[in-house]
Amino acid sequence: MCMWEVVEERRTQMMRVLSEGADSAEQWAEIEQAASRLQSGGLVAFPTETVYGLGACAWNAEAIRQVFVCKGRPADNPLIVHLSHPSEISLFAAEIPASAVRLIDAFWPGPLTLILPKKPEVLDILTGGLDSVALRMPAHPVALALIEAAGPLVAPSANRSGRPSPTHPAHVRHDLGPEVMVIGHTPCAYGLESTVLDLTATPAILCRPGHLGAQQLSAVLGEPVVSMTSTLDGHAPRSPGMKYTHYSPSAEVRWADASVQPPSRTLWLVHSSVPTAVSEDIAVVDYAGEFARMARELYDRFRQADLEGRPAVWIEPLPLPPHDGVIAALFNRITKAIG
Ligand code: TXA
Ligand code: MG
């Protein structure tokens, strides 16, 4: 089969959803309007399968500077370039190793970001001065159509830095205000950010866990993947972004302790054992072992706790390590929210 034929097929299938949808004409009009705004240097928030991203053209330094300002993001935290086709990788990456080809064939479009050595012309403001660049092809028809129309886009999560990532357009509006154009109307399917894998090192390094876990990646690579996602691994984080306090609401997030009474009005997330004999002002949400649903809703629950003025979010401790896939991603985001 030709290079990227499998990816192309998946992409075509995904885009069909847009053309066949009942509100297809309005959606395309919105995408065209968003693309022209991006091409004239503006910012547009758009949906992906993970979280909403705040897009700007990847070759426009001033627009990218505005992304950092709009998010209140530290300048040393590099951005991910979002592509609509794997052939665009060669615009940004100095080389495409065989490992990248295998992973792209298996997982793009999808929630996997690859770090590759960058070409000299990639803007420094985008990479935070690093000699590598992060690339991903999102699995969302609106994202793919927008990137195709506007060209490759940088897109950090569309939240204020330090806040939980947005999984719904209302989260974007809440954080970034009414001036930022938001397209798309639906919640994100995964709800946690993409897996970030550094292929500039051997063995490859998992910088940020996501739905795709180290085991799935190493099965495709045929070699191990090492995890360097936090100081909990005994290593310094590999991705600049992982050193900042992240994803935290104003409510205090902590692992639940069933031997203690939670503060009044706590939001308590459980997945296996529903607490009994708690006072009735405690809101308990039971995920009944559905960790993918817990991941999809986690950031929305954090935001809900703040909107309802709850003092605390308690989370039932996750199953014991070793973790992989969605449970590893949940563990990573929850421990970061705990701080
Ligand atoms: O799911 C996602 O990846 C979402 C959606 C919108 O695509 N985007 C997202 O972007 O989460 P952001 O900017 O919030 O997170 C990007 C992460 C940061 O932790 C950053 O440090 C890391 O990727 N990163 C970017 N470029 C890197 C590089 N060259 N080397 C190491 N880490 C890098
Ligand atoms: Mg982010």
Side-chain angles (χ1 to χ4, degrees):
M1 246 199 258
C2 295
M3 186 89 156
W4 314 131
E5 203 171 304
V6 190
V7 182
E8 189 57 39
E9 179 53 33
R10 282 188 216 119
R11 176 186 197 286
T12 310
Q13 296 243 347
M14 214 161 270
M15 300 289 286
R16 203 165 286 146
V17 176
L18 260 193
S19 326
E20 289 172 0
D23 53 355
S24 176
E26 292 102 279
Q27 277 207 307
W28 282 110
E30 193 182 42
I31 289 166
E32 267 166 39
Q33 193 197 343
S36 75
R37 189 179 282 222
L38 287 162
Q39 280 172 332
S40 54
L43 312 185
V44 174
F46 62 94
T48 79
E49 78 282 27
T50 57
V51 300
Y52 274 72
L54 180 62
C57 279
W59 299 111
N60 186 330
E62 177 51 28
I64 297 174
R65 201 183 66 77
Q66 289 302 327
V67 168
F68 282 90
V69 172
C70 186
K71 280 183 55 79
R73 180 176 176 112
D76 70 346
N77 192 4
L79 305 175
I80 299 170
V81 179
H82 292 61
L83 310 173
S84 66
H85 194 281
S87 61
E88 293 162 338
I89 298 174
S90 54
L91 301 172
F92 297 90
E95 62 177 290
I96 310 175
S99 54
V101 176
R102 276 202 291 279
L103 291 168
I104 289 165
D105 266 339
F107 300 120
W108 279 18
L112 175 64
T113 297
L114 299 176
I115 312 275
L116 296 173
K118 79 172 186 87
K119 282 202 156 161
E121 53 268 40
V122 178
L123 297 171
D124 274 340
I125 190 170
L126 188 169
T127 63
L130 296 178
D131 53 11
S132 58
V133 62
L135 300 168
R136 132 168 162 83
M137 179 181 177
H140 194 293
V142 171
L144 290 172
L146 182 68
I147 299 162
E148 183 157 275
L153 302 175
V154 297
S157 49
N159 52 297
R160 287 285 299 172
S161 260
R163 296 269 302 152
S165 290
T167 55
H168 194 279
H171 301 162
V172 181
R173 291 196 189 95
H174 178 274
D175 275 21
L176 303 183
E179 305 81 44
V180 174
M181 180 180 187
V182 188
I183 63 167
H185 309 279
T186 48
C188 300
Y190 290 128
L192 297 180
E193 306 83 349
S194 63
T195 302
V196 178
L197 186 72
D198 186 349
L199 291 177
T200 65
T202 318
I205 297 172
L206 182 73
C207 303
R208 181 172 74 183
H211 269 255
L212 289 170
Q215 283 175 24
Q216 257 176 301
L217 300 173
S218 66
V220 168
L221 288 172
E223 45 191 51
V225 162
V226 297
S227 180
M228 276 196 205
T229 58
S230 68
T231 42
L232 290 174
D233 307 320
H235 301 283
R238 178 84 174 181
S239 249
M242 299 313 272
K243 70 177 184 251
Y244 298 105
T245 312
H246 259 72
Y247 319 116
S248 40
S250 306
E252 188 206 6
V253 181
R254 57 164 284 180
W255 296 115
D257 176 350
S259 67
V260 182
Q261 269 299 314
S264 143
R265 304 197 64 251
T266 290
L267 175 61
W268 193 340
L269 310 183
V270 303
H271 52 79
S272 74
S273 63
V274 181
T276 49
V278 286
S279 64
E280 57 191 41
D281 61 7
I282 308 292
V284 176
V285 181
D286 180 13
Y287 286 101
E290 294 172 51
F291 292 105
R293 183 163 63 92
M294 191 172 181
R296 181 158 67 238
E297 293 184 4
L298 183 74
Y299 292 149
D300 190 43
R301 295 293 177 195
F302 285 174
R303 286 173 179 269
Q304 175 197 347
D306 282 354
L307 286 175
E308 294 173 357
R310 296 183 181 274
V313 180
W314 279 31
I315 305 176
E316 180 185 352
L318 296 173
L320 290 176
H323 297 137
D324 199 37
V326 70
I327 297 183
L330 273 169
F331 184 79
N332 173 271
R333 303 311 192 275
I334 294 166
T335 49
K336 286 200 179 290
I338 290 171

